[in-house]
Amino acid sequence: MSSLSFWSLVMDGGYIMIPLAIMLLVSIYIFIERCIALHRASKYDETFMKRIRDYIMEGDIDNAVNLCKRTDTPYSRLILKGVNRIGRPMNDVLVAIENTGNIEVANLGKGFTWLSTTAAGAPMLGFLGTVVGMIEAFFALANAGTSANITVLSSGIYQALVTTVGGLVVGIAALFAYNYLVSRVNRIMNSMESKTMEFMDLLNEPA
């Protein structure tokens, strides 16, 4: 009795499995690369804002700038932009920080478009392969004439359905990866907003 294997399923899926495999490999690469990048971006120094406060209160802007550069995280780059704008109107400082925040969020979300496109497109590509396979199966059945039997039809349908499975597997994997990464970015955004408000409150404190 023959048994199914993952590799045999992939090989039986036909040429549609090639773009699905490429989409899966690229999605895996993006997921791993973004996980590493987001892990670095989420590092938090609990003493950072206290030291920034001390430097600003002492008028030591240079050390505040150096601390932001050494910390090198999204929130430290936001604070760096604000520190460099000290002395300007508060609205200008806030706008500069918000613009930097938008850039940081865009950088954190690199590759997300590919994941969301794969999540939506891979199942559709799999269904396309199934439809094409069904057409080929019935075409073969029609050409078989009087020698047509269930084996001719079932083998074609089997190959056609494999692409549906492949498309769903790739799409589901990309969807879960996308949602997980988005949740990570949202947490980092919340941290950035918290640090921004803390910094603006610091600038509004009476001398």
Side-chain angles (χ1 to χ4, degrees), residues 168-188:
L168 288 173
V169 168
V170 174
I172 291 171
L175 178 62
F176 277 91
Y178 173 79
N179 286 333
Y180 172 76
L181 293 176
V182 167
S183 68
R184 292 283 301 276
V185 170
N186 287 338
R187 287 199 293 270
I188 295 174

Side-chain angles (χ1 to χ4, degrees), residues 6-66:
F6 174 77
W7 181 248
S8 65
L9 282 174
V10 172
M11 296 303 294
D12 289 340
Y15 60 87
I16 290 293
M17 299 300 286
I18 297 175
L20 288 176
I22 293 173
M23 294 170 77
L24 177 61
L25 291 175
V26 174
S27 296
I28 291 174
Y29 169 79
I30 291 174
F31 177 72
I32 294 174
E33 188 274 333
R34 284 294 88 192
C35 280
I36 295 173
L38 294 176
H39 175 70
R40 292 173 179 170
S42 62
K43 289 183 177 179
Y44 176 62
D45 181 359
E46 295 182 356
T47 66
F48 176 78
M49 287 307 299
K50 181 181 182 302
R51 294 163 70 187
I52 288 292
R53 174 186 295 273
D54 292 340
Y55 286 139
I56 291 178
M57 289 300 183
E58 295 169 2
D60 193 353
I61 303 301
D62 290 339
N63 273 330
V65 169
N66 291 333

